[in-house]
Amino acid sequence: MSEQWQQRRSGPSTQRPGDRRTPWQRDRARVLHSAAFRRLQSKTQIMNVGENDFYRTRLTHSLEAAQIGTSLINQLEHVSSAQEQALLPDLNLMETLCLAHDIGHPPFGHGGEVALNYKMLASGGFEGNGQTFRIVGKLEAYHSEHGMDLTRRTLLGLLKYPVLMPNLDAIATPTDAASLAHWKPAKALFACDADLLNWVLAPLSADDRQLFQSVETFDVSPWQRSLYKSFDASLMELADDIAYGVHDLEDAVVTGTLSATQWHAHLDSVVGELDGPLSELMQRLGTQLFSNEHSTRKDAIGALVNIFVTAVTIAEVLPDAKEPLIRYNATLPEAERFLLDSLKAVVFEHVINQPSIQQLRYRSQTMLLNLFSAFHNEPMRLLPHNTRSRWQMAHDQSGHHAADRVLCDYIAGMTDDYAERMYRNLFVI
């Protein structure tokens, strides 16, 4: 891999003589030792933190995704051509991407993400993956200007959506939050981080960059969806999908949120569409998944993960691109992708979409909306000293939109527990 993909924005370091770690090992260490990573232990994955000590948090989800990501690399090392193997990320790099992929998510999961986006519509929007990019590239305290100061290839691998947020001024700012579901964020980076995106994509030719940043637009302006991601990002996203579709499914089964009857009602038709061996395997695993024997269920979960890991392949998604890191993606064959999407749909329908979970989400969103309003209205009175100083500097230098971004950074960085305590401090008598 060319040297430019190993570069850091701060340039070469002279502070660590004798350090024999690879750039990817150093990136992994910076993520592991960051405050943003530690906060994942108290952030919701699906079911609220503290509801049950079995539930996965963002931290345990990220650890599982990292394990699956390295399994994908091990698999591809045995089934890929020599040219494809040369493209594979180092195991430390793969772990870094999976460990860091969720650190930008705010408290209370995607519900919190929607609430912050609603509040930030007039100031550039909010999106969890965009916040991840912002944390690793600017906010984390490892470097005074460049966040964790990760390598260019690592930053490229964290870009699930390598485009900037569309112009949100085209949206009429809503007057109330009654229909928050309509304010899901556009999948993009924040315009205020364009300088960092430009640095990451600098090695690409103008033609490659134009291809890589292609978007699909929708009838409802200004929403858009980026069409491509890098090879490393495709591996990270696949590991994330498998962890979500299989391990979060385990939470639902163990806690009784998903019953065997619901499983069969949703999956029997899916299994019937699969080819013979895969269909027969899924029938057996569907039975084992609801076994009273813990070891039997765990074996079924492992077998489900194995289905997807052993099916991974490398495909050419941008044949006209010169840069191999954007020309290729990791993919699943049609049948396995259909099955994984179906498992994710089960988790959504029978866990996320349940009234009890949605009621908690509504409560959590209301807390974040009120917290943002309080800090926005009384920043110099209510913000902690460090955040107050950053707010004042941003306001004086760049105006109220930049100041709102500081508020958003502060609230997005909260754990679920911290946000609850802050809400009680401000609003509960």
Side-chain angles (χ1 to χ4, degrees):
M1 185 54 55
S2 61
E3 203 172 290
Q4 59 190 349
W5 290 111
Q6 299 182 35
Q7 291 172 349
R8 302 181 191 278
R9 203 173 182 198
S10 65
S13 173
T14 58
Q15 289 289 96
R16 304 289 177 89
D19 187 350
R20 298 188 183 279
R21 293 175 298 168
T22 67
W24 324 122
Q25 288 174 317
R26 294 171 66 195
D27 280 359
R28 181 177 179 273
R30 293 180 186 195
V31 170
L32 277 174
H33 294 294
S34 67
F37 181 72
R38 289 195 300 276
R39 291 189 188 107
L40 295 177
Q41 66 187 308
S42 189
K43 288 196 176 187
T44 292
Q45 173 63 10
I46 292 179
M47 302 175 183
N48 274 26
V49 172
E51 293 286 317
N52 185 308
D53 63 5
F54 179 84
Y55 293 172
R56 285 168 166 85
T57 64
R58 288 276 174 191
L59 178 63
T60 56
H61 164 77
S62 298
L63 292 170
E64 287 170 337
Q67 188 275 322
I68 293 169
T70 57
S71 295
L72 291 170
I73 302 298
N74 290 333
Q75 174 70 17
L76 288 171
E77 284 177 342
H78 288 87
V79 299
S80 304
S81 66
Q83 179 184 3
E84 292 170 340
Q85 288 181 30
L87 186 61
L88 292 176
D90 176 271
L91 290 177
N92 290 285
L93 172 55
M94 190 71 251
E95 282 197 13
T96 301
L97 298 178
C98 293
L99 292 172
H101 82 281
D102 265 354
I103 62 174
H105 275 276
F108 312 123
H110 288 289
E113 181 183 40
V114 173
L116 284 181
N117 182 57
Y118 172 85
K119 281 296 189 180
M120 288 293 291
L121 285 174
S123 299
F126 178 83
E127 198 276 330
N129 295 284
Q131 189 69 10
T132 294
F133 188 64
R134 184 166 169 77
I135 288 171
V136 299
K138 291 188 174 181
L139 299 182
E140 189 64 36
Y142 188 92
H143 188 279
S144 60
E145 296 177 56
H146 305 309
M148 295 184 197
D149 197 27
L150 304 178
T151 57
R152 184 182 262 119
R153 179 167 178 176
T154 299
L155 291 173
L156 179 70
L158 288 171
L159 292 177
K160 288 178 69 172
Y161 316 109
V163 296
L164 294 178
M165 195 74 74
N167 179 16
L168 298 178
D169 291 341
I171 300 178
T173 304
T175 56
D176 64 73
S179 302
L180 269 181
H182 297 303
W183 303 106
K184 291 180 179 178
K187 301 297 187 181
L189 308 176
F190 310 134
C192 57
D193 298 323
D195 58 327
L196 180 58
L197 177 63
N198 288 334
W199 181 82
V200 173
L201 301 184
L204 301 182
S205 68
D207 289 343
D208 275 8
R209 180 164 177 172
Q210 184 175 8
L211 284 171
F212 185 53
Q213 294 189 289
S214 300
V215 297
E216 176 186 8
T217 56
F218 299 99
D219 293 338
V220 182
S221 177
W223 309 125
Q224 63 182 29
R225 181 174 68 90
S226 59
L227 296 175
Y228 302 107
K229 57 183 65 67
S230 72
F231 178 65
D232 297 345
S234 70
L235 280 162
M236 175 266 285
E237 186 171 52
L238 180 54
D240 184 26
D241 280 354
I242 296 171
Y244 171 78
V246 178
H247 288 303
D248 290 353
L249 174 72
E250 183 183 9
D251 278 5
V253 172
V254 172
T255 58
T257 309
L258 177 68
S259 68
T261 301
Q262 291 169 326
W263 166 270
H264 288 296
H266 205 110
L267 263 294
D268 282 356
S269 60
V270 172
V271 172
E273 292 186 40
L274 302 174
D275 60 23
L278 184 54
S279 179
E280 292 171 10
L281 175 58
M282 282 302 301
Q283 289 176 37
R284 290 198 304 274
L285 295 181
T287 301
Q288 294 172 16
L289 197 58
F290 294 91
S291 169
N292 291 325
E293 289 290 331
H294 179 73
S295 58
T296 302
R297 186 180 63 248
K298 292 301 292 186
D299 188 47
I301 290 294
L304 281 172
V305 172
N306 185 69
I307 288 172
F308 305 115
V309 168
T310 56
V312 65
T313 59
I314 296 176
E316 196 174 42
V317 293
L318 274 175
D320 294 332
K322 300 291 190 297
E323 172 54 60
L325 280 177
I326 67 169
R327 188 187 313 153
Y328 298 98
N329 272 188
T331 63
L332 288 177
E334 186 176 348
E336 284 78 7
R337 171 46 69 181
F338 173 58
L339 175 58
L340 182 54
D341 288 344
S342 299
L343 293 180
K344 290 168 62 180
V346 169
V347 173
F348 178 82
E349 183 60 33
H350 294 291
V351 182
I352 298 173
N353 216 26
Q354 287 302 297
S356 59
I357 298 295
Q358 288 302 314
Q359 288 161 12
L360 284 171
R361 175 172 287 193
Y362 183 85
R363 171 181 174 271
S364 303
Q365 287 176 322
T366 301
M367 284 195 288
L368 289 193
L369 292 172
N370 287 330
L371 282 176
F372 192 99
S373 294
F375 292 131
H376 178 80
N377 294 332
E378 299 270 9
M380 299 304 290
R381 181 182 178 194
L382 300 178
L383 287 172
H385 289 295
N386 288 341
T387 308
R388 185 189 305 174
S389 299
R390 290 196 297 273
W391 182 92
Q392 186 73 66
M393 184 181 300
H395 186 273
D396 292 347
Q397 293 180 353
S398 305
H400 68 276
H401 291 320
D404 277 353
R405 181 61 62 189
V406 172
L407 294 184
C408 190
D409 289 339
Y410 173 55
I411 296 173
M414 293 179 178
T415 63
D416 293 16
D417 293 339
Y418 185 89
E420 290 244 18
R421 286 197 305 274
M422 183 62 71
Y423 180 82
R424 284 198 301 270
N425 288 344
L426 293 177
F427 295 103
V428 178
I429 299 174

